[in-house]
Amino acid sequence: MWQPERLVQGPVRLLESQIPQLNRLFADAFTDRYRKDGFVGMRVPQLHADVWRYALRDAGSGAMAWLDERGELVAFNVAHHSGEEGWMGPLAVRPDRQGLGLGKTVIKSALDWLLAQRARVIGLETMPRTTENIGFYSRLGFSPAYLTVTLSNEVAERAPRGSWLRLGEADPEERRDWLARCRLRLQSAMAGYDFTREQELTAELGLGDTVVVDSAGAPTAFALYHSAPLVEGRPADELRVLKLYAASPEAFHRIMTALEAVAAELGLRRVAIRCQTSYRDAYRYLIERGYRVRWTDLRMWWQGHEEPMASGGAVVFSNWEI
């Protein structure tokens, strides 16, 4: 029987001009994954183009593509680092090219890139029910850590303004000053971590903003959020938290109040947050506040590059998805 040519070129830089191809491959590959897991009727939608632009610009040369013999996208892996924190995803291989060893190449290329960036933490997230993926990543040196649980809560009403601000409302010099203060506070709890690039890209692309809880001129908590729609063609209806730092449980409570108030001001229906469940008290607080579980992902760490807990009773959430 005739077999198609299986030549693959890569990795090469994944470009913004390839976003339409990237979106189709992403939707097809993840829909196929759900079908294999028994969710036959589920169709993964294509994402908003600006969300992909954010991911590709954040990754830089860590956004990798593999092309088939016709020059069409056959696989991709978007590897990121926030200072010394590194992770990969989303990543996918086109369904017709799976099972041929390309997935291993995709992972190893991202690992090499993250090591070259001096990442101290290296990981990824996958669906916990997909034992095939967990086994595949485990054979490449990853180990299961804990669940990241996506929770959301409806925004009931507009909350009064508190001691918090959105950096998009500050003048450029003041904004730069607040970003520097946020970076220093984060690094006091998680040495080597730095969310500044993601904060700046979010503002540049108009996807969202950073809200800061202020105490006597010092940030006791801050959160980077996106309010633009995640899915192409759908209206904005939720505020999604990507990165969060809180110096204490009380500061965590205050930043959640601020995020809900911002959502209400923007006319959004709900707040969604991806909670790293190693912070058990923060998880319990969200549940008691009325947040409901919507999704789970399994956090996996690569050998010798495990993720630390924040020091001094702080809470740090770092989203490893877009």
Side-chain angles (χ1 to χ4, degrees):
M1 182 181 294
W2 176 82
Q3 294 291 325
E5 188 65 49
R6 295 294 181 180
L7 294 175
V8 174
Q9 175 192 357
V12 296
R13 180 76 171 264
L14 184 55
L15 304 175
E16 291 184 30
S17 60
Q18 295 173 294
I19 287 176
Q21 286 188 61
L22 174 62
N23 235 340
R24 287 193 297 272
L25 196 161
F26 169 82
D28 290 347
F30 280 86
T31 297
D32 184 66
R33 179 69 265 170
Y34 283 122
R35 180 186 61 79
K36 290 176 179 176
D37 288 344
F39 295 87
V40 178
M42 186 166 183
R43 175 70 191 176
V44 174
Q46 296 189 11
L47 302 184
H48 195 289
D50 279 344
V51 173
W52 281 118
R53 289 188 184 93
Y54 168 82
L56 298 185
R57 293 181 190 182
D58 180 46
S61 59
M64 306 176 194
W66 285 260
L67 309 177
D68 65 15
E69 60 279 357
R70 297 185 300 276
E72 296 179 358
L73 192 64
V74 71
F76 69 90
N77 193 348
V78 187
H80 315 251
H81 72 97
S82 300
E84 295 180 359
E85 178 198 30
W87 73 99
M88 61 184 79
L91 60 98
V93 176
R94 208 168 65 195
D96 65 302
R97 296 299 179 95
Q98 294 175 7
L100 302 172
L102 182 54
K104 185 182 295 186
T105 299
V106 165
I107 296 295
K108 288 186 173 179
S109 296
L111 287 173
D112 289 343
W113 184 85
L114 289 167
L115 290 171
Q117 310 310 307
R118 302 182 183 277
R120 179 169 49 87
V121 174
I122 297 178
L124 53 79
E125 289 186 338
T126 190
M127 293 178 285
R129 66 181 170 275
T130 306
T131 55
E132 181 182 336
N133 278 5
I134 295 170
F136 170 72
Y137 295 133
S138 296
R139 289 190 294 274
L140 293 175
F142 290 85
S143 297
Y146 55 80
L147 289 179
T148 292
V149 177
T150 301
L151 306 106
S152 67
N153 197 12
E154 300 297 312
V155 176
E157 58 186 18
R158 186 182 294 259
R161 272 272 180 168
S163 57
W164 54 268
L165 63 97
R166 280 188 280 166
L167 296 192
E169 298 172 336
D171 64 55
E173 184 176 350
E174 184 184 10
R175 187 173 179 278
R176 284 192 296 270
D177 183 50
W178 275 111
L179 287 174
R181 291 189 228 175
C182 287
R183 181 172 60 251
L184 288 174
R185 288 306 301 265
L186 172 64
Q187 291 178 347
S188 70
M190 298 285 271
Y193 275 47
D194 186 355
F195 298 154
T196 308
R197 186 177 65 251
E198 287 97 330
Q199 292 170 295
E200 292 175 337
L201 273 173
T202 292
E204 177 186 321
L205 290 167
L207 293 172
D209 204 348
T210 298
V211 60
V212 179
V213 171
D214 175 19
S215 177
T220 59
F222 70 89
L224 170 65
Y225 68 84
H226 283 185
S227 52
L230 179 63
V231 175
E232 192 72 56
R234 292 187 186 173
D237 63 353
E238 71 177 10
L239 183 151
R240 303 184 305 281
V241 181
L242 274 69
K243 308 285 183 180
L244 180 147
Y245 160 82
S248 65
E250 190 272 338
F252 181 68
H253 303 170
R254 292 179 66 195
I255 193 66
M256 293 309 304
T257 299
L259 287 164
E260 291 166 7
V262 169
E265 284 190 358
L266 296 175
L268 301 174
R269 292 173 49 209
R270 61 181 173 267
V271 172
I273 186 165
R274 291 168 55 83
C275 173
Q276 276 79 73
T277 53
S278 55
Y279 295 93
R280 296 180 183 179
D281 290 344
Y283 176 76
R284 291 307 319 166
Y285 172 77
L286 291 171
I287 294 294
E288 291 162 7
R289 195 176 177 93
Y291 280 74
R292 301 185 66 179
V293 174
R294 289 175 52 190
W295 195 255
T296 57
D297 290 285
L298 178 65
R299 199 94 153 183
M300 300 187 74
W301 301 329
W302 194 53
Q303 52 193 6
H305 291 76
E306 293 79 11
E307 182 182 23
M309 288 282 289
S311 62
V315 176
V316 174
F317 292 166
S318 182
N319 187 7
W320 285 358
E321 295 285 348
I322 60 171

